[in-house]
Amino acid sequence: QDIVETIWQNYVDKTPQRVKLLDTFMAFLIVVGVLQFVYCVIGGNFPFNAFLSGFSATVGQFVLTASLRMQTNPENKADFRSISHERAFADFVFGSLILHFFCVNFI
């Protein structure tokens, strides 16, 4: 229990607010994906392509957000020297638009 408290306190103290916001959004995406899957199992999957589209949008958005988190985390600055925060966010927005365009068309 002390290990978990130490890790949590270190996360709260040393993690920038921007990264915490991205982590919260990623946790939200996990909850949404789990709820979609549980609904598919319990409620049925009559329009199966709608489930696939929604679930793939959730997973795809999680991957794009994880990429944005890696590129904007100050601890990874040495790995992404040539990418500014603005460029990383623009790539995130562009990728999200393409992802959701294909998901809506798949429905």
Side-chain angles (χ1 to χ4, degrees), residues 5-22:
E5 289 177 11
T6 304
I7 290 172
W8 178 253
Q9 196 60 37
N10 190 20
Y11 175 79
V12 169
D13 293 339
K14 295 185 179 180
T15 304
Q17 191 68 24
R18 179 183 296 172
V19 176
K20 288 179 188 175
L21 182 64
L22 291 173

Side-chain angles (χ1 to χ4, degrees), residues 58-104:
T58 303
V59 171
Q61 194 66 47
F62 182 87
V63 169
L64 288 170
T65 307
S67 175
L68 178 64
R69 185 190 191 282
M70 287 188 327
Q71 292 176 2
T72 58
N73 192 350
E75 293 179 5
N76 297 336
K77 194 168 194 156
D79 296 332
F80 300 102
R81 288 184 190 143
S82 63
I83 300 176
S84 66
H85 293 304
E86 292 81 12
R87 164 76 191 268
F89 185 71
D91 290 345
F92 171 77
V93 169
F94 183 68
S96 296
L97 287 173
I98 291 173
L99 170 73
H100 291 291
F101 174 76
F102 281 109
C103 288
V104 167

Side-chain angles (χ1 to χ4, degrees), residues 31-56:
V31 169
V32 168
V34 168
L35 287 175
Q36 285 179 345
F37 185 76
V38 167
Y39 179 79
C40 182
V41 169
I42 294 174
N45 57 0
F46 167 59
F48 190 64
N49 57 343
F51 164 72
L52 286 178
S53 180
F55 194 75
S56 63

